[in-house]
Amino acid sequence: METKREYQLQIKKEKLNSWKEYCNVAASTNPWSQVYKLAAGKARADRIMTTLRKPDGSETSSIKETMDVILQYLFPEDRKESENQLHKTIRRSVEEPINTRDDTGFSKEEIRQTIASFSDKKAPGRDGITASVYLRTFKLLPEVTAIYNQCLDRGCFPKRWKAAKIIPIMKPGQENSAEPSKYRPISLLNMGGKILEKLLITRITHYLYRHDLLTDKQYGFTPQKSTVDAAMEAKHFIKPIIEKRGIVIMASLDVAGAFDSAWWPSILQGLKDLGCPRNLYNLSKGYFSHRTAEMATNSDCITRVTKGCPQGSCCGPGFWNVLYNSLLKTELTSYSTIIAFADDIIILTRGKSVVEAENYMNLEMKKIKKWAQKNKLQFNENKSQVMLLTHRKRREKRRWRFT
């Protein structure tokens, strides 16, 4: 009986310790912690994969079929059949050798700091190896530096490090939807590949910022910039015009698919146009080849990935900024400006009258549409919005039409 009481006491003690640890999940400075969400009934519940509607209108009848539909939607194939001559020219261009100088090899300290920058609480990839295991291994065998430098010298990104394990996360409010768009894909990648990714994109980003090659119109994935800075930039354009009783038309555009639709040849062409060091460019080419995505339950479901930046990868944000850089550097009229935060952009156009502002906006939209066609991207009409900003009183109702 004494042993039983001690055992029950120990269970009670461990339960109390567990609860205290749970209450300290978030810092005390953050009131929106897990405890708050639990008390408010906002804790995320486990979602069971449901039946989805297939492109032909029928519904899936098994888990494997549902996973196939999700993968086909989230990772659309880069089809060459519908490409124009410009697309073919870009494909040929990125295959031609680049004549820039090589960047220096990775140092031991650079690799150590990169490994140490990963949180051990992050979910591992298919191999199950965490950052702490890599860090301990590196301390014992710092010679693994040679592996990463060989990848850099040969422009080789190992296939094993390009295989993503996909975790579909349901978007808020989409629980009852039968469309595959209700899911957002999170890619779990092997830690060895994430280390090489971060080494690669850190070097590319350092090169771009050191030579001031990226536009200042991008406020997402940019050091020391935020949504507040983007909003203030828009305010500085709008305020003086509104105060003089002028007209401003603001159009916000949403890229359909965004990261999942990024065309690899466009990113590589962007790197080439920016004079990316040769070995970094070749390693980027290796990164954008033979990629796969896998969803696994009782049976594996694997698809070949031919475009897009993996959500959850280290390279995704940096490569997206390279892709968007050419859009943000598009020469607009003196009546307009463009502001971006990640994949979201707004175009602001001024005019003395609604008709004048509308005409200038149409000119800008034609340029942006041409850029989107060149880079095989589409804008989501349902999520794109247009707003008229003015202090004038409206005398008539009017719908704006942009071509």
Side-chain angles (χ1 to χ4, degrees), residues 106-126:
F106 303 126
S107 66
K108 291 182 180 180
E109 180 60 21
E110 184 179 5
I111 294 175
R112 187 197 67 77
Q113 290 182 0
T114 300
I115 299 174
S117 68
F118 288 99
S119 171
D120 207 36
K121 295 181 180 179
K122 297 289 185 180
R126 294 170 62 193

Side-chain angles (χ1 to χ4, degrees), residues 85-115:
Q85 191 58 43
L86 179 58
H87 295 144
K88 295 176 182 178
T89 302
I90 294 174
R91 283 191 186 276
R92 287 194 299 268
S93 174
V94 298
E95 291 302 323
E96 295 174 357
I98 189 170
N99 297 320
T100 54
R101 297 175 60 182
D102 284 339
D103 204 359
T104 58
F106 303 126
S107 66
K108 291 182 180 180
E109 180 60 21
E110 184 179 5
I111 294 175
R112 187 197 67 77
Q113 290 182 0
T114 300
I115 299 174

Side-chain angles (χ1 to χ4, degrees), residues 196-211:
L196 183 55
E197 276 190 48
K198 197 162 188 177
L199 288 167
L200 170 63
I201 201 61
T202 300
R203 283 293 188 90
I204 290 175
T205 303
H206 174 71
Y207 167 80
L208 296 176
Y209 282 116
R210 184 179 64 186
H211 293 88

Side-chain angles (χ1 to χ4, degrees), residues 325-365:
N325 195 56
S326 58
L327 169 62
L328 301 179
K329 284 192 172 183
T330 300
E331 187 175 348
L332 304 180
T333 65
S334 59
Y335 292 83
S336 305
T337 190
I338 187 170
I339 301 171
F341 188 87
D343 60 307
D344 297 316
I345 61 171
I346 60 171
I347 300 93
L348 299 167
T349 301
R350 62 185 174 88
K352 296 179 181 178
S353 66
V354 174
V355 173
E356 183 182 41
E358 185 178 328
N359 289 336
Y360 282 120
M361 179 62 81
N362 279 326
L363 289 175
E364 316 305 5
M365 286 296 182

